[in-house]
Amino acid sequence: MTSQVSSPAEQADGTVVGEQRKPGDAKDVRRLDRVIIRFAGDSGDGMQLTGDRFTSETASFGNDLSTLPNFPAEIRAPAGTLPGVSSFQLHFADHDILTPGDAPNVLVAMNPAALKANVGDLPRGAEIIVNTDEFTKRALQKVGYDSDPLHDGSLDGYNLHPVPLTTLTVEALKEFDLSRKEAERSKNMFALGLLSWMYHRPTEGTEKFLKSKFAKKPEIMAANIAAFRAGWNFGETTEDFAVSYEVAPAAKAFPVGTYRNISGNLALAYGLIAASRQADLPLFLGSYPITPASDILHELSKHKNFGVRTFQAEDEIAGIGAALGAAFGGSLAVTTTSGPGVALKSETIGLAVSLELPLLVVDIQRGGPSTGLPTKTEQADLLQAMYGRNGEAPVPVVAPRTPADCFDAALEAARIALTYRTPVMLLSDGYLANGSEPWRIPELEELPDLKVRFAQGPNHTLADGTEVFWPYKRDPQTLARPWAIPGTPGLEHRIGGIEKQDGTGNISYDPANHDFMVRTRQAKIDGIDVPDIEVDDPHGAKTLVLGWGSTYGPITAAVRRLRAAGESIAQAHLRHLNPFPRNLGTVLEGYDRVVIPEMNLGQLATLVRAKYLVDAHSYNQVNGMPFKAEQLAAALKEAIDD
């Protein structure tokens, strides 16, 4: 269905807000304002692909959306076990939304493990679609079920739809020359077809995708399309699904423009390419594969036509070493990693601070310490980004707030690096990297001008009148040193990590010079021009909630809930964490209480308390998952009432 309907008032629980029977339809069509669906199964069941395709069709339909992929760290955990469960949650609506949702309205469970791992998140009355073919005695025992939950009454509080997905898929594909195992692999497409019918999602895009993906395997392509259509037809004809649902496009949620669905890592990759084009510099990525940052390497490797060079190094240290060499050679240089990789790169980041060369260090944060939780999210690298190097080695820190904002954050990090000749830390995280939302494709004239001027000749005159090149003679406004491309005649200069003499760049062990250089490098970072922080406070609140990075969505959703309930609360969100916006201290002093929710044990709160002597209150979570809006709303309500 593509007809638009008037946007009803938002319901916090996602319940039905209207109902109508359409002429000629055999089944009821109910209108919802929003839906949260979670696909769950084994890591080999194709749940991420299923969720991604449903998301793409939802984006093309015009709904606002937010997604939360959640997959195991193991490459292939034992089939049918709880550690092997992979899920994909999608929240879509006819209005502006900010999070993947707190609790699914619909769970598609491909096996007992998927049901057991996710049923605790469901509200009573939620829809559960289960693949009954997988509910064998052995499969139930493997995950600790003493009895079959489909028949023991434990699911009576839910709207249960038992569907033999595997059997139906195999039956639908019996005309194809496939083994039973090969046919069973298409059951995710059957499930996708069923859900596409149930929520009136477009189908053309998925069929086009399957034709492209399996172009070299026509039999597999035809089988997947057949399974997808069979799932749609099953929903249309079975008596078990008497109702389908319609969620109108979010026509009023978006400014006019051209939109596409985009993940955080993809937006970041596009932002890096845009930055290199706006700077008129080749883009070089020196990287080593690491979850959840590897997708940036994969994406950038596809864009050689934009002057992008990608180098998959043998380790993290080689990756950043090559990137720093590329920066010395005049490229927009980037290295991507996660927390463990930042630890390995720390010495070279310090070298970049000493050399004062532009370098983007992209940290897609994940749960730690050590290897920690490779596929789960966390915000626990902030203090590492601030101080994780020997000596006084200050580095600017920038953090995007949403998947789409990763594009703008990449441009901003590049602006700072190129303008001030410094390495910059960009702190995304797994939640942003893998999650997705609609993104308005910007016009070229909206992008910043990042062009730089390389040193071309002498910049200093000695007392005897000789003109020379001083590699550490600084711009009086930015304190940036000149960027001289190797091989430029007359601009030969020393390079290295040993302390340099001010101006000349000669090796210096002079105590006074070292003191001056340390303070100058710090002053350069402190003097970076960043926008003032904006405060959303329509009612003159006494309590301010301050966030950074990916907590933006849950915090904003929680604030909306509180204001809808008549509470007064202010909100501000940081993109620049080093240096802080110049008005931050004044903003903090204007409130009786400051609450800082973080997916760590209070790292931003520690910085704020130390710098501004404000008794900021931490609200922390380190379970590898993003905050839920309801959870944050309850915590903020307590702060207001305190």
Side-chain angles (χ1 to χ4, degrees):
M1 301 288 179
T2 58
S3 59
Q4 295 200 18
V5 297
S6 58
S7 177
E10 179 175 0
Q11 301 293 314
D13 59 358
T15 52
V16 175
V17 297
E19 180 176 345
Q20 69 175 18
R21 179 182 294 274
K22 300 204 170 191
D25 283 357
K27 299 184 179 183
D28 284 340
V29 178
R30 297 183 183 178
R31 293 179 179 175
L32 307 179
D33 70 335
R34 68 187 186 98
V35 176
I36 304 169
I37 299 176
R38 183 181 296 175
F39 299 91
D42 266 335
S43 56
D45 282 340
M47 293 296 94
Q48 302 304 320
L49 175 62
T50 304
D52 184 67
R53 288 313 315 160
F54 194 93
T55 299
S56 294
E57 298 298 353
T58 296
S60 69
F61 187 69
N63 296 119
D64 196 9
L65 61 90
S66 180
T67 69
L68 178 63
N70 187 15
F71 36 86
E74 292 80 5
I75 294 175
R76 188 67 174 93
T81 64
L82 293 173
V85 174
S86 175
S87 67
F88 188 105
Q89 183 164 309
L90 166 66
H91 182 191
F92 62 102
D94 66 1
H95 57 275
D96 175 36
I97 58 173
L98 297 157
T99 74
D102 288 355
N105 310 117
V106 182
L107 171 66
V108 180
M110 302 298 280
N111 59 21
L115 176 64
K116 188 166 188 178
N118 293 282
V119 69
D121 293 337
L122 302 180
R124 307 301 282 182
E127 308 252 3
I128 302 178
I129 301 171
V130 295
N131 180 14
T132 56
D133 289 324
E134 296 296 325
F135 280 70
T136 63
K137 183 176 181 180
R138 182 180 179 186
L140 292 167
Q141 291 175 342
K142 189 180 291 187
V143 295
Y145 276 124
D146 296 325
S147 59
D148 188 344
L150 305 185
H151 301 101
D152 64 8
S154 61
L155 300 178
D156 286 350
Y158 306 100
N159 189 5
L160 181 65
H161 301 278
V163 180
L165 287 172
T166 306
T167 299
L168 290 171
T169 302
V170 172
E171 178 65 21
L173 303 183
K174 63 183 180 181
E175 64 184 72
F176 294 91
D177 186 20
L178 301 173
S179 66
R180 180 179 177 86
K181 186 175 182 179
E182 289 173 327
E184 289 178 358
R185 290 174 182 163
S186 297
K187 63 181 180 289
N188 64 325
M189 287 297 105
F190 189 99
L192 177 60
L194 172 58
L195 268 293
S196 297
W197 169 84
M198 192 171 177
Y199 289 96
H200 298 268
R201 299 297 91 184
T203 61
E204 295 83 0
T206 293
E207 293 198 10
K208 183 179 179 181
F209 166 81
L210 292 172
K211 290 175 181 177
S212 174
K213 181 177 178 63
F214 298 108
K216 296 182 179 180
K217 299 178 180 179
E219 188 79 1
I220 300 297
M221 174 188 69
N224 276 280
I225 292 175
F228 176 66
R229 292 174 177 173
W232 176 283
N233 293 333
F234 177 77
E236 183 72 24
T237 57
T238 182
E239 293 299 320
D240 192 40
F241 293 91
V243 178
S244 64
Y245 303 94
E246 182 180 83
V247 181
K252 298 180 181 180
F254 307 116
V256 174
T258 302
Y259 287 79
R260 59 156 295 166
N261 182 50
I262 200 165
S263 69
N265 273 350
L266 183 58
L268 208 156
Y270 285 177
L272 294 173
I273 296 171
S276 75
R277 302 295 286 184
Q278 292 302 105
D280 197 22
L281 297 175
L283 177 64
F284 180 90
L285 174 68
S287 185
Y288 180 77
I290 184 171
T291 301
S294 299
D295 284 344
I296 302 173
L297 170 62
H298 300 159
E299 181 62 33
L300 289 179
S301 68
K302 303 175 184 176
H303 297 286
K304 296 180 178 63
N305 56 313
F306 287 117
V308 179
R309 296 180 181 177
T310 53
F311 170 57
Q312 180 175 320
E314 65 269 28
D315 55 40
E316 295 280 6
I317 299 172
I320 190 173
L324 186 56
F328 180 58
S331 293
L332 176 60
V334 185
T335 188
T336 52
T337 189
S338 190
V342 174
L344 291 165
K345 296 177 188 291
S346 61
E347 184 178 5
T348 307
I349 297 173
L351 176 59
V353 171
S354 176
L355 299 181
E356 300 189 47
L357 287 170
L359 174 68
L360 303 186
V361 182
V362 178
D363 177 6
I364 313 297
Q365 300 167 95
R366 71 190 203 192
S370 188
T371 308
L373 306 173
T375 60
K376 310 300 179 184
T377 195
E378 207 163 87
Q379 287 183 300
D381 293 351
L382 176 56
L383 293 182
Q384 178 179 226
M386 288 286 292
Y387 303 119
R389 294 161 296 282
N390 66 295
E392 296 287 346
V395 168
V397 180
V398 176
R401 61 177 60 184
T402 67
D405 188 47
C406 289
F407 178 87
D408 296 314
L411 284 163
E412 174 64 359
R415 177 191 73 86
I416 294 173
L418 295 171
T419 302
Y420 296 90
R421 309 288 197 267
T422 177
V424 176
M425 294 286 296
L426 197 160
L427 294 182
S428 179
D429 61 41
Y431 171 40
L432 296 183
N434 297 317
S436 62
E437 65 177 352
W439 171 58
R440 186 182 69 84
I441 301 172
E443 301 295 333
L444 286 177
E445 56 268 20
E446 296 174 343
L447 301 180
D449 183 359
L450 301 179
K451 288 185 174 62
V452 298
R453 293 182 61 186
F454 294 112
Q456 299 296 325
N459 62 355
H460 184 76
T461 303
L462 299 177
D464 62 2
T466 305
E467 292 188 340
V468 296
F469 175 67
W470 274 13
Y472 282 83
K473 186 169 184 176
R474 301 180 182 278
D475 181 288
Q477 298 299 320
T478 64
L479 298 183
R481 78 175 187 89
W483 193 0
I485 302 299
T488 305
L491 303 191
E492 297 84 358
H493 59 280
R494 291 182 177 86
I495 204 77
I498 297 177
E499 185 62 282
K500 298 150 189 68
Q501 185 181 57
D502 177 43
T504 68
N506 295 332
I507 292 174
S508 174
Y509 296 101
D510 177 65
N513 178 78
H514 177 59
D515 182 274
F516 178 80
M517 294 294 280
V518 167
R519 294 179 187 276
T520 300
R521 287 188 288 261
Q522 183 65 57
K524 181 173 70 170
I525 304 306
D526 292 342
I528 292 173
D529 182 24
V530 303
D532 283 349
I533 191 170
E534 297 181 359
V535 182
D536 176 19
D537 184 6
H539 306 117
K542 295 182 178 180
T543 300
L544 170 71
V545 54
L546 178 67
W548 70 278
S550 67
T551 57
Y552 174 78
I555 288 174
T556 306
V559 166
R560 286 182 180 179
R561 293 189 184 201
L562 290 171
R563 290 176 180 170
E567 301 290 345
S568 179
I569 188 169
Q571 178 187 359
H573 208 80
L574 287 166
R575 164 176 280 182
H576 297 91
L577 296 147
N578 192 34
F580 285 132
R582 287 174 175 77
N583 69 330
L584 180 58
T586 303
V587 167
L588 296 174
E589 290 173 359
Y591 293 91
D592 294 344
R593 287 174 298 277
V594 177
V595 183
I596 304 180
E598 298 180 80
M599 293 188 292
N600 57 47
L601 295 183
Q603 297 187 17
L604 175 60
T606 297
L607 295 172
V608 167
R609 290 177 187 138
K611 185 172 180 65
Y612 300 106
L613 303 181
V614 171
D615 185 21
H617 299 273
S618 284
Y619 183 73
N620 310 115
Q621 173 177 297
V622 282
N623 62 5
M625 298 295 288
F627 283 112
K628 293 182 178 180
E630 181 180 4
Q631 162 198 4
L632 270 182
L636 296 175
K637 179 65 166 63
E638 289 182 10
I640 293 172
D641 295 340
D642 188 9

